[in-house]
């Protein structure tokens, strides 16, 4: 009898321990694919969670196409003989001419909000609320808001602008110059950080954290390349030294806590806000060209052109655990974005959408 009672008690206890069940791993599913040439013929995904993701606007000639997360066409605009710069969310654009006297801010439906007499080239933040206006000789940038007002410090300057970058949230912008000068400005147009690289070496790239609290500045010369990690709030900075010399900008990401991920030609480096390398991952060698690192909830997406031809796409966790690898031989480059559980890839011709399912979901 005592063994019977013991068995019953043990069974009851085990029934109340569901929390020790093994945790499921992350799941990745292809949802849709298509080509830029036949963008209207993409078969949309039926997965409702894909609707939450934001697809980068797709440019084809003078036309801008905006897809929703499921792959179906949400809107489009054709600027004709004019040029256009579009916000990352595809809601707003600025229309201008290569040699013109005015720029016009409008939505994707062509409704004009304001017109500004200007000979400058416009750059829009992800949400379109911050507009940077670069003059013809690339020496000065004026700062405007979504209403066309020149805000904050009004302008920043240096000798020949080499890079303009925005935070993923649109809360901040940054610019770097050939003379080593760099700036970070907030959504109100105020300078939150300003500096100069050692020996005035050229600024090759800048990445901002989504919250605007950290900035990673890639700079260097033929002697070597480096990444300066700037704590905007504490006015502090540290340096990460790279192994390779880069003649162009490289894939660079800065997290909200200051962690940095950078593609150093044949390895992916993950470092903390002090510039100390947490780990690195050896990868097939990249060639000079477009590359991108994006991140959400500790999941990184990396795309770059391969020295051997084609392009590579990797998805990995912040601890170095590689989740997915894909070579796209027919594409010379790939762009990537991860947004609210969806991943989007764009090449010179192809478009692809994937869904991510986190264990807690």
């Amino acid at each position: 009898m005592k063994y019977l009672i013991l068995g019953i008690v043990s069974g009851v206890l085990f029934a109340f321990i569901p929390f020790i069940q093994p945790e499921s791993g992350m799941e990745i599913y292809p949802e849709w694919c298509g080509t830029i040439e036949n963008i209207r013929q993409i078969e949309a995904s039926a997965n409702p969670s894909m609707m939450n993701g934001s697809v980068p606007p797709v440019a084809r000639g003078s036309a801008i196409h905006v897809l929703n997360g499921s792959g179906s066409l949400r809107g489009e605009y054709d600027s004709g003989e004019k040029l256009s710069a579009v916000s990352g969310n595809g809601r707003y654009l600025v229309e201008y001419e290569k040699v013109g006297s005015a720029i016009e801010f409008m939505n994707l439906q062509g409704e004009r909000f304001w017109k500004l007499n200007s000979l400058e080239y416009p750059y829009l933040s992800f949400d379109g609320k911050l507009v940077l206006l670069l003059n013809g000789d690339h020496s000065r940038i004026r700062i405007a808001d979504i209403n066309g007002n020149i805000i904050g410090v009004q302008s920043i300057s240096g000798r020949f602008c080499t890079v303009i970058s925005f935070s993923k949230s649109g809360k901040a912008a940054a610019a770097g110059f050939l003379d080593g000068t760099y700036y970070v400005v907030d959504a109100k147009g105020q300078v939150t950080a300003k500096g100069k690289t050692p020996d005035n070496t050229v600024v090759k790239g800048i990445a901002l954290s989504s919250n605007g609290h950290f900035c990673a500045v890639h700079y260097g010369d033929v002697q070597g390349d480096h990444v300066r990690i700037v704590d905007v709030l504490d006015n502090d900075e540290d340096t990460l030294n790279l192994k390779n010399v880069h003649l162009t900008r490289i894939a660079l990401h800065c997290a909200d806590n200051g962690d940095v991920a950078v593609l150093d030609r044949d390895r992916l480096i993950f470092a903390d806000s002090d510039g100390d390398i947490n780990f690195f991952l050896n990868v097939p060698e990249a060639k000079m060209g477009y590359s991108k690192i994006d991140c959400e909830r500790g999941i990184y997406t990396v795309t770059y052109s391969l020295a051997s031809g084609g392009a590579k796409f990797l998805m990995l966790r912040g601890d170095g655990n590689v989740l997915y690898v894909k070579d796209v031989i027919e594409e010379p480059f790939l762009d990537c974005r991860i947004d609210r559980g969806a991943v989007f890839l764009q090449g010179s011709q192809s478009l692809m959408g994937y869904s991510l399912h986190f264990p807690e979901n």
Side-chain angles (χ1 to χ4, degrees), residues 2-39:
K2 66 179 180 179
Y3 294 109
L4 175 62
I5 296 174
L6 182 61
I8 293 174
V9 172
S10 299
V12 171
L13 289 176
F14 279 113
F16 284 95
I17 316 179
F19 50 84
I20 67 169
Q21 293 178 355
E23 181 181 332
S24 61
M26 176 173 293
E27 299 174 348
I28 305 166
Y29 296 103
E31 294 287 348
W32 56 267
C33 65
T35 64
I36 297 175
E37 186 67 28
N38 299 299
I39 196 167

Side-chain angles (χ1 to χ4, degrees), residues 145-173:
D145 64 12
I146 194 171
N147 299 311
N149 301 314
I150 303 302
I151 58 173
V153 296
Q154 300 190 352
S155 69
I156 54 178
S157 60
R159 183 163 62 87
F160 198 86
C161 179
T162 54
V163 58
I164 289 176
S165 179
F166 295 95
S167 65
K168 194 171 182 178
S169 65
K171 294 180 179 179

Side-chain angles (χ1 to χ4, degrees), residues 83-109:
L83 302 174
S84 58
V86 63
S87 64
N89 60 11
R91 295 180 181 178
Y92 303 102
L93 60 93
V94 172
E95 198 173 67
Y96 64 104
E97 295 177 290
K98 189 172 184 179
V99 181
S101 58
I103 60 175
E104 295 179 281
F105 188 94
M106 62 189 72
N107 61 19
L108 194 65
Q109 292 70 42

Side-chain angles (χ1 to χ4, degrees), residues 284-320:
E285 184 178 355
K287 73 174 182 180
M288 288 187 297
Y290 186 84
S291 57
K292 176 75 173 292
I293 299 177
D294 200 5
C295 180
E296 182 181 70
R297 296 174 64 180
I299 303 299
Y300 288 83
T301 56
V302 183
T303 52
Y304 66 92
S305 300
L306 286 162
S308 58
K312 180 170 283 290
F313 165 52
L314 299 97
M315 191 182 306
L316 66 158
R317 294 200 311 228
D319 59 5

Side-chain angles (χ1 to χ4, degrees), residues 40-105:
R40 296 185 182 88
Q41 279 72 54
I42 291 177
E43 185 176 347
S45 168
N47 185 348
S49 67
M50 291 294 290
M51 292 292 293
N52 299 326
S54 175
V55 182
V58 179
R60 184 166 66 96
S62 60
I64 296 172
H65 304 277
V66 179
L67 304 175
N68 62 31
S70 64
S72 60
L73 192 65
R74 178 160 61 89
E76 55 188 347
Y77 181 82
D78 197 322
S79 58
E81 296 182 357
K82 294 185 176 181
L83 302 174
S84 58
V86 63
S87 64
N89 60 11
R91 295 180 181 178
Y92 303 102
L93 60 93
V94 172
E95 198 173 67
Y96 64 104
E97 295 177 290
K98 189 172 184 179
V99 181
S101 58
I103 60 175
E104 295 179 281
F105 188 94

Side-chain angles (χ1 to χ4, degrees), residues 157-343:
S157 60
R159 183 163 62 87
F160 198 86
C161 179
T162 54
V163 58
I164 289 176
S165 179
F166 295 95
S167 65
K168 194 171 182 178
S169 65
K171 294 180 179 179
F177 294 84
L178 188 68
D179 61 4
T181 305
Y182 62 86
Y183 299 85
V184 178
V185 299
D186 61 18
K188 296 181 180 179
Q190 299 294 341
V191 173
T192 56
K194 177 184 177 182
K196 203 142 191 177
T197 61
D199 299 323
N200 301 333
T201 49
V202 59
V203 177
K204 302 179 182 180
I206 294 181
L208 283 166
S209 63
S210 184
N211 58 14
H213 295 170
F214 286 90
C215 172
V217 181
H218 169 216
Y219 66 94
D221 53 22
V222 294
Q223 302 300 320
D225 277 45
H226 318 270
V227 175
R228 174 177 290 179
I229 305 168
V230 181
D231 187 331
V232 175
L233 295 182
D234 293 340
N235 192 28
D236 189 23
E237 59 188 45
D238 290 281
T239 302
L240 167 66
N241 297 317
L242 303 183
K243 181 183 73 172
N244 297 294
V245 173
H246 302 271
L247 302 180
T248 61
R249 71 184 62 177
I250 54 179
L252 182 64
H253 181 271
C254 186
D256 283 349
N257 63 353
D259 285 354
V260 168
V262 57
L263 176 62
D264 189 16
R265 189 173 300 161
D266 57 358
R267 61 178 187 166
L268 279 167
I269 300 175
F270 292 81
D272 61 19
S273 59
D274 295 324
D276 298 323
I277 296 178
N278 294 327
F279 71 91
F280 65 87
L281 179 70
N282 292 319
V283 295
E285 184 178 355
K287 73 174 182 180
M288 288 187 297
Y290 186 84
S291 57
K292 176 75 173 292
I293 299 177
D294 200 5
C295 180
E296 182 181 70
R297 296 174 64 180
I299 303 299
Y300 288 83
T301 56
V302 183
T303 52
Y304 66 92
S305 300
L306 286 162
S308 58
K312 180 170 283 290
F313 165 52
L314 299 97
M315 191 182 306
L316 66 158
R317 294 200 311 228
D319 59 5
N321 187 4
V322 177
L323 303 173
Y324 185 76
V325 179
K326 180 181 180 68
D327 287 350
V328 185
I329 303 302
E330 63 274 14
E331 287 290 357
F333 72 91
L334 282 175
D335 188 13
C336 66
R337 176 185 292 178
I338 179 170
D339 184 38
R340 285 169 283 188
V343 175

